[in-house]
Amino acid sequence: MDEYLIYRFPGESVQYFLGRWEKTTLQNVLDQTGRFVVSTDDGKEVFAFVSEVKIEREGFHPQLKNKSDQIAVSQEDYSIALAEVLKEMEGDIQKTVFSRIDRRHWDATGILEVFDALEEAYPNTLVYILVSGQWGTWLGATPETLLASSVDHFNSMALAGTLPANTTEDWTEKEREEQAYVEKYILEAIQEEGSLLQQSEVEERFAGPVKHLCTRFQFVLKDGRLEPFIRRLHPTPAVCGIPLEEARALYRKYEKHQRKLYTGFIGRVGREKFNLFVNLRCMECYIDSVDLYVGGGITKDSVPGKEWEETVRKANTLGQFLSKHER
Ligand SMILES: C=C(O[C@H]1C=CC=C(C(=O)O)[C@@H]1O)C(=O)O
């Protein structure tokens, strides 16, 4: 089966490739020049796009899988599971990230049109389509930078907390707290593996129908040692929680689906250009349906009904562009 990669980094133009997805290690791709990689949620499985050949848009003929093998929960089941999560958080877990699948029906022949619409609507995101014989077809537009290189330093961001983009409501303690966990975690990683050059104030960052709180970091790494730093950084509490292992065990116990590539890292790594994102606002595509992966930070102050609404809004980041192709 033909495998493909299509992407558009912020400020760049769209690239279309035919090639092959190969299982590899992070260290292996870091030693090469400019490879596009994607990982599973825990970062343990890493796939690089190899033998790539540039193609014209007209040469893109993806073969999609028939049907999803994942469970898309109802609001009722989501709320029951989240109530259990909250009960288990009465111990040591300060934050976890609970996600679900939102399934929509579509006609997959519109896949490139959806990509075009996302590309136009979200200039500051990494927009992509990945097609693999092994793990299927994914489409996403993610706003969260994990690690990017500039001329003489690196950048990262602590992105968390969500409100509707058009609200007049103020940020509450709950959103500020969940973002502060991420900020602290990234800052500690930077201080352990390098030194901080600059840290922004907490700012608002818009991402389609929602907005987030965001702190930006500039830093250098000791001896430029990237592999241990990425391993230390990912997954951040923006997608996993804190403490990490306990928070992950908790979401795995109650989520009814496998996260697969959702919340893994995705982007370009290598000795020259380096631009790695966290794989959010993404969906897995089938012939006549898509699975949108959406989650949110859970703290002791979370209210199941509000968390559900947040996932609905996040799903609409991509979902609003599917309506033309809906069946
Ligand atoms: C886990 C997701 O978002 C993360 C990034 C920004 C805000 C988030 C939040 O408010 O919970 C999440 O931490 C997702 O979009 O599925």
Side-chain angles (χ1 to χ4, degrees), residues 95 97-99 144 159-163 174-175 178 182 212 237-239 262-263 280-281 293-298 307 310 314:
K95 174 179 176 180
V97 176
F98 191 57
S99 70
E144 185 171 345
L159 189 80
T162 305
L163 282 180
K174 191 257 166 184
E175 290 99 29
E178 64 178 294
V182 188
H212 305 298
V239 291
Y262 164 65
T263 68
L280 298 177
R281 318 294 143 83
Y293 287 72
V294 279
I298 306 299
E307 296 296 346
E310 181 176 317
K314 283 175 174 164

Side-chain angles (χ1 to χ4, degrees), residues 75 78-80 82-83 86 302-310:
Q75 181 172 1
Y78 168 91
S79 301
I80 293 169
L82 184 49
L86 285 164
S302 288
V303 177
K306 278 190 150 184
E307 296 296 346
W308 172 268
E309 277 170 30
E310 181 176 317

Side-chain angles (χ1 to χ4, degrees), residues 197-246:
L197 301 176
Q198 220 174 307
Q199 176 178 340
S200 75
E201 295 293 315
V202 179
E203 304 162 342
E204 283 190 341
R205 200 170 170 96
F206 287 82
V210 292
K211 61 179 178 179
H212 305 298
L213 293 171
C214 179
T215 311
R216 288 174 294 108
F217 301 93
Q218 288 186 6
F219 53 97
V220 287
L221 289 177
K222 273 186 235 154
D223 324 316
R225 282 170 10 103
L226 275 167
E227 210 261 355
F229 183 67
I230 296 168
R231 290 292 174 208
R232 171 72 177 79
L233 197 61
H234 178 270
T236 73
V239 291
C240 185
I242 198 125
L244 191 135
E245 290 304 338
E246 290 83 347

Side-chain angles (χ1 to χ4, degrees), residues 100-325:
R100 69 176 180 94
I101 280 176
D102 183 324
R103 183 160 301 142
R104 312 271 173 109
H105 294 275
W106 79 334
D107 174 356
T109 54
I111 189 168
L112 274 182
E113 278 177 52
V114 176
F115 175 91
D116 292 342
L118 292 170
E119 201 257 298
E120 203 184 314
Y122 304 128
N124 297 325
T125 64
L126 163 62
V127 190
Y128 67 81
I129 298 176
L130 321 175
V131 181
S132 152
Q134 207 182 326
W135 37 258
T137 299
W138 287 69
L139 168 60
T142 175
E144 185 171 345
T145 295
L146 181 69
L147 184 63
S149 64
S150 280
V151 182
D152 56 359
H153 64 264
F154 286 97
N155 302 297
S156 186
M157 63 168 68
L159 189 80
T162 305
L163 282 180
N166 54 7
T167 188
T168 49
E169 272 171 69
D170 266 342
W171 294 100
T172 69
E173 209 33 51
K174 191 257 166 184
E175 290 99 29
R176 294 206 177 271
E177 188 183 33
E178 64 178 294
Q179 196 267 346
Y181 288 132
V182 188
E183 184 185 282
K184 181 167 177 275
Y185 184 90
I186 295 179
L187 186 60
E188 280 171 6
I190 292 170
Q191 285 164 342
E192 275 167 37
E193 302 284 338
S195 35
L196 181 70
L197 301 176
Q198 220 174 307
Q199 176 178 340
S200 75
E201 295 293 315
V202 179
E203 304 162 342
E204 283 190 341
R205 200 170 170 96
F206 287 82
V210 292
K211 61 179 178 179
H212 305 298
L213 293 171
C214 179
T215 311
R216 288 174 294 108
F217 301 93
Q218 288 186 6
F219 53 97
V220 287
L221 289 177
K222 273 186 235 154
D223 324 316
R225 282 170 10 103
L226 275 167
E227 210 261 355
F229 183 67
I230 296 168
R231 290 292 174 208
R232 171 72 177 79
L233 197 61
H234 178 270
T236 73
V239 291
C240 185
I242 198 125
L244 191 135
E245 290 304 338
E246 290 83 347
R248 176 155 55 203
L250 183 58
Y251 77 63
R252 284 191 170 165
K253 183 168 168 192
Y254 289 103
E255 287 181 355
K256 300 280 190 301
H257 61 282
Q258 302 294 316
R259 286 195 178 190
K260 302 184 184 176
L261 304 183
Y262 164 65
T263 68
F265 50 77
I266 183 167
R268 191 164 44 203
V269 302
R271 267 175 275 136
E272 288 159 11
K273 281 187 184 170
F274 197 98
N275 206 350
L276 212 49
F277 284 72
V278 182
N279 196 10
L280 298 177
R281 318 294 143 83
C282 59
M283 63 191 202
E284 204 176 344
C285 309
Y286 301 91
I287 291 177
D288 51 22
S289 66
V290 300
D291 283 353
L292 293 152
Y293 287 72
V294 279
I298 306 299
T299 67
K300 60 178 184 339
D301 298 326
S302 288
V303 177
K306 278 190 150 184
E307 296 296 346
W308 172 268
E309 277 170 30
E310 181 176 317
T311 59
V312 171
R313 261 183 231 109
K314 283 175 174 164
N316 283 335
T317 314
L318 269 57
Q320 62 182 306
F321 297 102
L322 295 174
S323 47
K324 250 178 78 187
H325 309 279

